[in-house]
Amino acid sequence: MSRPMGDSHKRFLQTMMSNGIISSVQAKALHRHCCETHGAHFSPDRLEEFIDVINTNLQPMFMHIRKGTSEEDGAQHYALVNMAETDITRMSSDYADNELELFRKTMDLILDSENGTASSTDLLNCADRLQTKKMKKKETEHVLNKFVQDKWLNEKQGEYTLSTRCIIEMEQYIRTVYQDLIRLCHVCQNIVLQGQICENPECGIKMHYHCVARYFKGRTDPHCPSCSDFWAHEIPEIQPESQNQSSSARDVAAPTPSTSATRRSRRS
Amino acid sequence: MSQNKRVASQNRRSQLVLDEDDEGSLTQPSVSQVQRARENFTPVQVDRKVAEVVQFILIKDQKKIPIRRPDIVKHVIKEYRTLYQDIMKRVDRTFEQVFGLKLVEIDSKNHIYILTNKLEQSREEPISMCPANPKTGLLFVILGVIFMKGGSVKETLVWNTLKKLRVDVGEKHEEFGDGKKIITDEFVRQKYLEYVRIPHTEPLEYEFRWGQRAESEVSKLKMLQFIAELHDQEPQSWTQQYREATSAENNPR
Ligand SMILES: [Zn+2]
Ligand SMILES: [Zn+2]
């Protein structure tokens, strides 16, 4: 029999359920908070074990807390994943049919692009040609905004990308449906959407920005790890973990849309 | 949108008819029927059903929609209905032991359930953890007013109180939009509030009371302590409220 959940585990899980995803910095703080609230023994280096207990108990429910990395800054995150529905049907209780179709189209565009983005102009065009039910500009903007608030997409200056949560939760789906399109990072072997590509057309390997940063750290003359050609991109800086807290804290504190606004958040 | 609603109400109507059937066969199973069903389904199949029911309820709960037994039977349990009791017993146990939640029947005639939290609310939760939800504050204020006024208040009092806090329900609030709709529709649907007509009033007047979800989730003692803190007083100085809050605390539902 697996180790039973204590109240500290249950509180951690409840927070995971209301947030969907948290950064590892937040997970550490939450771990401490949950243990202290319930007088459970707290050892900072036992977070993984703590989550294992939850996962063992979640397994019969086909749920799992899974670790993943943000493509934006390389920060580790934990997402609560539904293993029974690993594709877009996962979202079907929250969205209308044409909204789901728009999401599918957004994924198509992102997966088909070189840099893992889809522009709002392209998405507006898509929305105008949906088969289920067309969407006007205003409605489309509203729905895209909802995807961002629900943490399925990220948006920066009119460019949409798949969120960390989306990649963690739908990895299997993405690997199956887009197997011809997906690229694996040369360094970490995970799916890479946003990253840099080797300029040598014979090679063309792709790496996450954060993997590039780590791989070329301290090298003045960067060369492709595969073909040894000169790496003709600007090498990004490594982001210290404390810095990425601001972006993930913003994620978690983002105003939630009506469907999820009343998740357990009120038990603050 | 309006079309959606129409379709939804049609569904509801046809569902009602079906539900009666479901109900009928639900209360019936004899001991031998249950035993036969237990033999017919493998433990793995039953495990899977339990998981499906848990997920179904969690999704409904995220939207704070009360859960109706006929819906559980019709959409999830289906041909396992003779094992309803077995399955629900395990669902209950899962909610308590894994999620720290409790499935509470708030309407025993129509079999309507909600999920309530078994864990103490903790106010010191790291702020970034809980999406700052302005609605929570709004709800808390209203529940507080009702509680301090002895259990029910006229709606005008609520609107005036909110106005003092610079929330004018007549206008669109920048954080939560249509305040009146949230209070009289969303909170009511979620069973946090009851909004009822006061009989024999002309023009019509309405009053607010605590809804069943609030009764089972919100600690009156904590609320009183919070209000007392605001007023820099002891909770005991509100004799009646203190008595009610402590007796509620000693008789947990
Ligand atoms: Zn990588
Ligand atoms: Zn190369």
Side-chain angles (χ1 to χ4, degrees), chain A residues 55-113:
Chain A
N55 277 339
T56 317
N57 283 276
L58 277 181
Q59 198 191 0
M61 300 306 117
F62 304 100
M63 292 162 87
H64 191 81
I65 296 176
R66 188 184 285 164
K67 211 170 167 176
T69 309
S70 155
E71 288 207 315
E72 318 249 304
D73 57 13
Q76 297 276 304
H77 283 74
Y78 293 90
L80 184 64
V81 180
N82 183 332
M83 318 280 282
E85 290 171 340
T86 50
D87 60 5
I88 292 175
T89 53
R90 159 80 180 74
M91 299 162 70
S92 59
S93 59
D94 290 330
Y95 297 97
D97 283 347
N98 60 341
E99 296 173 343
L100 289 177
E101 192 188 344
L102 179 66
F103 191 79
R104 243 177 224 122
K105 289 266 152 80
T106 309
M107 267 189 141
D108 291 349
L109 282 173
I110 289 174
L111 266 295
D112 205 16
S113 72

Side-chain angles (χ1 to χ4, degrees), chain A residues 185 188 208 211:
Chain A
C185 171
C188 69
H208 289 112
C211 290

Side-chain angles (χ1 to χ4, degrees), chain A residues 5 7 9-11 13-15 17-19 22 26-27 29-30 33 37-38 54 57-58 60-63 82 84-85 93-94 245 249 252-256 258-268, chain B residues 47-48 50-51 54-55 58-59 61-64 94-101 115-126 128-133 135-136 139 143 186-187 190 192 213 217-218:
Chain A
M5 308 255 292
D7 283 351
H9 298 99
K10 294 174 190 172
R11 185 175 298 277
L13 175 58
Q14 287 189 358
T15 307
M17 289 200 294
S18 59
N19 284 292
I22 60 177
Q26 291 173 316
L30 181 63
H33 169 76
T37 305
H38 296 286
I54 302 176
N57 283 276
L58 277 181
M61 300 306 117
F62 304 100
M63 292 162 87
N82 183 332
E85 290 171 340
S93 59
D94 290 330
Q245 196 186 7
V252 169
T256 36
S258 59
T259 52
S260 53
T262 47
R263 288 179 189 177
R264 308 204 166 279
S265 55
R266 52 173 300 277
R267 303 189 179 99
S268 38
Chain B
D47 287 351
R48 175 113 208 167
V50 171
V54 167
Q55 297 235 359
L58 283 176
I59 287 173
D61 177 70
Q62 275 193 345
K63 301 178 178 176
K64 291 281 176 267
T94 304
F95 276 128
E96 295 215 31
Q97 294 178 351
V98 180
F99 296 92
L101 303 171
L115 272 184
T116 63
N117 201 341
K118 288 204 75 188
L119 300 181
E120 280 278 329
Q121 297 171 56
S122 84
R123 258 196 284 143
E124 310 84 48
E125 194 127 320
S128 61
M129 290 305 158
C130 23
N133 188 347
K135 290 186 199 171
T136 311
L139 176 65
L143 290 174
E186 193 170 316
F187 289 162
Q190 295 164 352
Y192 281 117
R213 187 188 294 276
E217 281 187 8
V218 181

